[in-house]
Structure formats: C-alpha cells, structure tokens
Amino acid sequence: MTRGRRAFTLVEVMTVVLIVAFGLLPVIGLLSSATRQEALDESVVIAQSMALRLAEQTTEELLRGGFAKAERTGGPEVVPLAPGKYSWDLAVEPVDPEAFLWRVLVKVRWSLPTDTSPDPSHAYELEKLVSRPESS
C-alpha cells in the first residue's frame, strides 16, 4: 500500500493568508503614522530655524540702526526640499523705550501637503527681548 503526499487544502491556505493579512494591517498603519509624524517634526524644525534667523536679523538691525517700532510680514517662503508652505509675521515693540528694552516677536505659520484645510494649521512663536548694550 502506497501513501500519497498530503497537501494543504484551499481552505487552509486561505485561512493562513487571512490571518497574516490581519496581522500586517496594524504594522502598515504604524508605518503610515510614523511617516506623517516625521514630516511634522521636520516642519517644526524648519519653522524654528526660520523664526530664529528672523529674530537674529532683526536684533542686528536694532543694534546697528537704532531702536524703532516695526512690523513686517513675509511669505509664502519656499524652503528647498521641505514640505509645506511657510509664512511669517514679525513685530518689534517697545517694552521700556527709556531703557532701550524691546520685544521681537516672530510668528511662523505653515501648512503641510497632507493638511486638508487651506489655512495654515501649524504655528510656532519666538519671543526675544533686546536691550541696548551699555556704553563704556
């Protein structure tokens, strides 16, 4: 008496495929979520560096050219290889003009390509106090 090989039935194969598919769904969801978070983290770093650059430039202008109230708006600013559109507002306000103490406030707003709203939905603010150096 010879015995034949035992093969898997179609039902067994489909059951295994179904179990593997349901096991992989959460992993795919995690990868997608991680990719979105990485894009958001990258955009926050870009906004922080943009705000810091604008605050430093404004501080240098204040120290070089005298202290004066100012407001500027810029954008949309294109950042090479960065996702999203960035715009910014900058305000220079006196805190104590007699002591030459001024506040530089930079607000950066941006939206990512994955955002559904046309308005910038992300924001970063940087506030810096600037004073005139004491003369010797």
Side-chain angles (χ1 to χ4, degrees):
M1 182 160 123
T2 61
R3 272 203 248 187
R5 286 175 153 186
R6 185 174 187 286
F8 293 108
T9 65
L10 182 60
V11 173
E12 290 172 331
V13 171
M14 291 187 69
T15 303
V16 169
V17 167
L18 193 62
I19 290 171
V20 170
F22 277 114
L24 289 178
L25 282 177
V27 173
I28 293 170
L30 286 174
L31 291 175
S32 174
S33 175
T35 303
R36 277 194 304 272
Q37 187 61 43
E38 182 182 351
L40 180 59
D41 292 346
E42 180 184 0
S43 67
V44 169
V45 170
I46 291 168
Q48 288 173 337
S49 64
M50 187 180 295
L52 186 59
R53 176 180 49 87
L54 290 165
E56 290 299 322
Q57 286 174 350
T58 305
T59 300
E60 290 174 14
E61 290 171 12
L62 285 172
L63 294 174
R64 257 195 337 262
F67 288 70
K69 188 173 181 177
E71 287 188 20
R72 293 187 302 186
T73 300
E77 191 162 323
V78 177
V79 179
L81 302 175
K85 297 178 182 175
Y86 296 81
S87 61
W88 51 268
D89 297 316
L90 183 134
V92 179
E93 303 166 338
V95 174
D96 185 357
E98 293 177 10
F100 287 95
L101 183 62
W102 293 73
R103 175 182 20 240
V104 176
L105 180 62
V106 182
K107 296 179 185 178
V108 179
R109 292 179 188 80
W110 71 96
S111 59
L112 295 173
T114 56
D115 292 341
T116 55
S117 171
D119 296 329
S121 56
H122 308 282
Y124 177 79
E125 287 189 18
L126 175 70
E127 184 175 334
K128 181 177 181 177
L129 294 176
V130 180
S131 65
R132 180 179 67 178
E134 293 187 30
S135 52
S136 12

